[in-house]
Amino acid sequence: MKANRELGIIVYGATGYTGRLVAEYLNSQYGVGGDVSWAMAGRSREKLEAVRDELGISAKVPLVVADASEPASILAMVERAAVVISTVGPYQLYGSELVAACAQAGTDYVDLCGEPNWMREMIDAHEETAKKSGARIVFSCGFDSIPFDLGVLFLQEQAQQTLGAVLPRIRGRVRGLKGVWSGGTLASFKATMAAAAKNPELVATLTNPFALTPGFTGAEQPSGMKPTYDDVLESWVAPFMMATINTKNIHRSNMLQNHRYGADFVYDEMLVTGPGDEGEAMAKAVAEDKSMANDPTRPGEGPTKEQRDTGFYDLLFVGETADGKTIRAVVTGDMDPGYGSTSKMIAESAVSLLKNPDLGSGGILTPASALGDVLIDRLQRNAGLTFELEGS
Ligand SMILES: NC(=O)c1ccc[n+]([C@@H]2O[C@H](COP(=O)([O-])OP(=O)(O)OC[C@H]3O[C@@H](n4cnc5c(N)ncnc54)[C@H](OP(=O)(O)O)[C@@H]3O)[C@@H](O)[C@H]2O)c1
């Protein structure tokens, strides 16, 4: 069914801060009229035309008008494409009709969602429909959660190949990171906090590492919420903002791959702040930092090109086998995590789905369970990421 669609990929939200970057990347990487056909979508034709012209994109790239508040326009859009990329967030405000329509129409879908309450709602409401229609719906195809979800998969695969063992314990450690937030990300964070303030039941979802594995609760997990001295790294570590969404996605990846990491898999994710008194003081300062709640950046705004180009990330994954052997992997990105690198990651996720229509089956999936090695390969060839073993 998907093979007969008029368009390959639709970038929905192409007028927003991140959506523009995705359109720019598809244009420079895949051009117009090649084997990856793509279109730009949003709620205003005038704005789409202006963005297309401003980015120097050919007028041959189709423009599709669809408004999140008009379900008929959303359904008409998803029926035209094999894959929809959505950067229209906060997803809990604007995304539900789109996921429902993709699940119904058998259209593949990727987004940048880091809102676990909404993701759980979508799983409960649309998983069965997506399984039947063949729609591969993949949330969190940006910095949260691709480098973490695929970093864990990569390390498990390497451990199986080199040690012949699974890793029941992995520590995800952010060793270095440079970037700033966009207004859309701040709005999504604030929407989740506002929803939790109205409905205290949501707090249980936000704090449960198994919130996205309905029917399955695994081993007790470290909370990751307090500054701690990490004996394995010989360094202080602090709570990491993205850990709440990444850990949930990683446990869902494990479940969707029939628990290939083990049913008792334990994972935590923290920010490395260094050894000694200085490392401890820094870990405490990070834990107390509330600047995100007061950041005045508005939707549509985000880091400058220079900030994106000079950003980076360096993520360490330390795995332990049941008999105490360790293995380490590093994942790096060549631009700021949230936008420069994210726009390349989500675009390559969509291209992976487009070029591999028979990979996996329909459902509400994660990057590792839906795309795995296919995506690791594309990200390394095209998107400036590296996946390597360290110290071996
Ligand atoms: N996971 C990650 O690593 C990651 C990274 C980056 C971003 N994100 C997420 O991506 C989302 C977008 O962020 P952003 O900074 O790019 O946001 P943004 O600049 O505010 O863009 C939002 C987009 O949504 C569109 N939109 C709003 N209401 C709409 C409606 N009713 N119908 C159709 N379109 C509508 C806007 O269209 P107009 O231009 O017409 O207003 C705009 O194109 C956020 O949820 C953010 O959290 C996640």
Side-chain angles (χ1 to χ4, degrees):
M1 191 163 62
K2 283 173 223 167
N4 303 326
R5 298 281 166 97
E6 168 199 349
L7 298 164
I9 297 172
I10 287 183
V11 184
Y12 182 49
T15 55
Y17 179 80
T18 317
R20 289 164 69 116
L21 298 176
V22 176
E24 232 177 338
Y25 176 75
L26 286 173
N27 191 47
S28 65
Q29 188 72 21
Y30 296 101
V32 177
D35 66 334
V36 174
S37 76
W38 59 282
M40 296 164 66
R43 58 181 160 173
S44 151
R45 175 168 296 278
E46 293 69 43
K47 205 166 170 188
L48 284 165
E49 277 170 359
V51 170
R52 187 176 63 180
D53 292 349
E54 197 186 312
L55 296 178
I57 293 173
S58 160
K60 288 189 186 139
V61 170
L63 304 179
V64 180
V65 179
D67 193 308
S69 59
E70 291 166 16
S73 70
I74 298 294
L75 192 57
M77 173 175 75
V78 309
E79 284 174 342
R80 293 177 67 182
V83 188
V84 172
I85 293 178
S86 176
T87 59
V88 175
Y91 294 92
Q92 60 198 293
L93 302 184
Y94 309 125
S96 302
E97 294 290 347
L98 177 56
V99 171
C102 287
Q104 193 67 45
T107 302
D108 292 335
Y109 164 99
V110 291
D111 74 13
L112 296 175
C113 188
E115 301 160 43
N117 47 329
W118 179 78
M119 289 158 66
R120 175 59 193 261
E121 244 180 70
M122 295 297 104
I123 291 169
D124 291 343
H126 304 301
E127 171 110 75
E128 289 313 313
T129 312
K131 279 184 179 164
K132 280 193 201 120
S133 71
R136 295 169 296 176
I137 293 177
V138 193
F139 299 132
S140 309
C141 290
F143 182 61
D144 49 318
S145 295
I146 282 185
F148 300 92
D149 195 22
L150 294 184
V152 167
L153 174 71
F154 175 79
L155 188 59
Q156 291 284 5
E157 287 176 343
Q158 294 296 320
Q160 277 154 26
Q161 283 165 28
T162 61
L163 305 173
V166 292
L167 303 167
R169 170 78 169 114
I170 293 185
R171 291 173 165 77
R173 296 291 180 259
V174 180
R175 277 200 302 210
L177 175 149
K178 190 172 164 216
V180 295
W181 306 112
S182 75
T185 298
L186 292 163
S188 299
F189 168 74
K190 287 172 189 167
T192 299
M193 291 303 123
K198 262 199 230 149
N199 176 1
E201 273 176 32
L202 285 185
V203 177
T205 307
L206 296 174
T207 54
N208 176 6
F210 297 99
L212 301 182
T213 58
F216 174 79
T217 299
E220 198 173 324
Q221 305 288 315
S223 92
M225 298 309 282
K226 285 197 191 121
T228 313
Y229 186 76
D230 185 331
D231 291 322
V232 174
L233 267 78
E234 298 181 343
S235 170
W236 281 86
V237 292
F240 176 55
M241 170 81 207
M242 305 290 175
T244 48
I245 183 65
N246 293 335
T247 49
K248 292 175 184 48
N249 276 325
I250 287 165
H251 288 299
R252 182 162 176 82
S253 288
N254 190 23
M255 186 181 84
L256 293 175
Q257 297 176 97
N258 300 318
H259 289 112
R260 71 185 286 194
Y261 313 157
D264 289 334
F265 180 60
V266 175
Y267 177 74
D268 69 337
E269 205 169 78
M270 300 197 80
L271 186 75
V272 177
T273 57
D277 293 346
E278 220 176 291
E280 182 177 4
M282 176 73 85
K284 287 181 178 159
V286 169
E288 280 157 21
D289 180 32
K290 300 273 181 291
S291 58
M292 194 172 185
N294 303 317
D295 189 320
T297 311
R298 288 173 309 185
E301 299 173 352
T304 62
K305 180 170 178 349
E306 198 201 335
Q307 285 172 318
R308 294 195 304 268
D309 290 348
T310 56
F312 68 93
Y313 49 92
D314 172 5
L315 314 175
L316 173 69
F317 297 87
V318 184
E320 280 169 48
T321 63
D323 59 0
K325 292 195 191 82
T326 63
I327 178 168
R328 294 174 173 227
V330 177
V331 178
T332 63
D334 67 343
M335 294 181 81
D336 80 301
Y339 308 96
S341 186
T342 282
S343 54
K344 298 194 278 188
M345 288 189 270
I346 191 171
E348 289 297 339
S349 302
V351 175
S352 302
L353 289 169
L354 182 68
K355 287 188 177 266
N356 298 276
D358 299 323
L359 185 65
S361 49
I364 302 205
L365 310 168
T366 57
S369 62
L371 298 165
D373 292 337
V374 167
L375 183 56
I376 291 179
D377 180 52
R378 291 199 79 85
L379 293 174
Q380 298 206 91
R381 279 192 286 128
N382 302 330
L385 274 83
T386 66
F387 292 78
E388 283 168 358
L389 287 183
E390 185 173 83
S392 58

